[in-house]
Amino acid sequence: MADAPINPLDLLARSQQVALKLTTDVLRGVRDTAVAGVTQPEELAKQVGELAGAVAGMAGAVSGLAGATAQPLQDFIVRQRELADTVHTLAEAQAELAAVVATLAERHADAVAALERVTAPVFALVGTDPTPPKTRAAKKAAAGKRESGSAPTPG
């Protein structure tokens, strides 16, 4: 149970209940003190002392409440900042990886173009047509080569 994470909302609800109970006790003490002051003056002095102790206890509870609710919220904010930094680092790594993949794609396209130049005369001798590309990018590149090679553009 000690390893269970602290839920800040549960902690806040419990601390509010404790603060409400303390406030109720203090108000009850004030009412009892007022009644005792009229009927029993020595009881009044005793209850004033008890009331002062209850108020001091309430002040301690309020400061404890502030510390109990602020720390989990502060921890949560710190964890969110760490997560934001981690996501930023991941984005930088993704950008670097994208640059490497783009370079790889350019080099592969250059290698394919060189292979096409080397094999084109052989295929022409044998009398076979090149196999049409199956990917969208390859079809687009092949269509661009056909358009630029078949019809001259007016200048």
Side-chain angles (χ1 to χ4, degrees), residues 25 30 75 78 85-86 99 106-107 114-115 128 131 137-138 140 148:
D25 291 345
V30 168
D75 291 346
V78 168
D85 291 344
T86 301
E106 289 174 12
R107 290 180 182 168
L115 279 172
T128 61
T131 305
K140 191 174 182 180
S148 66

Side-chain angles (χ1 to χ4, degrees), residues 40-105:
Q40 303 168 345
E42 55 281 335
E43 183 67 21
L44 173 64
K46 178 183 160 203
Q47 287 182 354
V48 167
E50 289 174 0
L51 182 60
V55 169
M58 188 172 155
V62 168
S63 66
L65 168 67
T69 55
Q71 188 59 46
L73 291 175
Q74 185 179 20
D75 291 346
F76 177 74
I77 291 169
V78 168
R79 297 300 167 263
Q80 291 301 310
R81 172 55 52 208
E82 290 171 352
L83 178 61
D85 291 344
T86 301
V87 169
H88 179 73
T89 302
L90 177 62
E92 288 177 340
Q94 290 281 345
E96 290 175 12
L97 180 62
V100 168
V101 171
T103 302
L104 177 64

Side-chain angles (χ1 to χ4, degrees), residues 98-145:
V100 168
V101 171
T103 302
L104 177 64
E106 289 174 12
R107 290 180 182 168
H108 184 73
D110 291 344
V112 170
L115 279 172
E116 287 174 340
R117 285 191 301 273
V118 168
T119 57
V122 174
F123 290 143
L125 281 173
V126 175
T128 61
D129 290 329
T131 305
K134 295 184 182 188
T135 65
R136 183 177 58 210
K139 288 178 185 177
K140 191 174 182 180
K145 286 181 183 178

Side-chain angles (χ1 to χ4, degrees), residues 19-31:
L20 184 60
K21 183 183 179 312
L22 277 171
T23 304
T24 304
D25 291 345
V26 168
L27 290 176
R28 188 175 299 118
V30 168
R31 183 198 66 207

